[in-house]
Amino acid sequence: MSRICELTGKGRMVGNNVSHANNKTKRVFLPNLQNVTLLSDKLERSFKFRVSTSGLRSVEHVGGLDTWLLKTSDDKLSANAVKVKKELRKKMEEAA
């Protein structure tokens, strides 16, 4: 399973370990991913995602899963999140 946030697209980063003697060796910075269940207000369902903690704070900051999905481009979202976004748009079009 790849270490990529399903909502923000945040993935691993590569950098260096630097010793006291200034020796540099490659290392990997992994995002802090958590398995969470997020509630969709408009769909009245819950969805399971693998989200970074910073991504989870961002979702809460903008007002929830529905507004996050509608404002985020599809290239950052996972296939599962894009499917939920399409379902959300369909529901909103039916209501309008």
Side-chain angles (χ1 to χ4, degrees):
M1 219 143 91
S2 63
R3 304 278 300 179
I4 297 176
C5 176
E6 292 189 54
L7 297 181
T8 61
K10 178 185 265 192
R12 70 184 202 131
M13 291 176 38
V14 178
N16 287 312
N17 276 336
V18 181
S19 71
H20 184 68
N22 206 26
N23 297 330
K24 294 170 184 73
T25 57
K26 286 290 186 186
R27 63 158 296 175
V28 175
F29 297 93
L30 296 175
N32 183 9
L33 296 179
Q34 305 295 321
N35 293 318
V36 295
T37 303
L38 296 172
L39 209 67
S40 171
D41 296 328
K42 293 180 178 142
L43 294 176
E44 298 171 350
R45 284 184 49 197
S46 60
F47 297 95
K48 289 187 177 186
F49 292 108
R50 198 158 183 228
V51 183
S52 64
T53 53
S54 62
L56 190 56
R57 284 196 313 271
S58 299
V59 169
E60 293 300 320
H61 179 75
V62 298
L65 179 65
D66 296 340
T67 53
W68 177 264
L69 289 175
L70 292 175
K71 84 170 194 71
T72 307
S73 62
D74 288 351
D75 58 330
K76 284 189 178 180
L77 298 173
S78 68
N80 185 28
V82 170
K83 191 170 81 172
V84 173
K85 183 178 179 178
K86 285 182 183 176
E87 198 175 320
L88 182 63
R89 281 217 173 119
K90 185 177 175 185
K91 177 85 171 190
M92 289 177 65
E93 288 174 2
E94 289 173 0

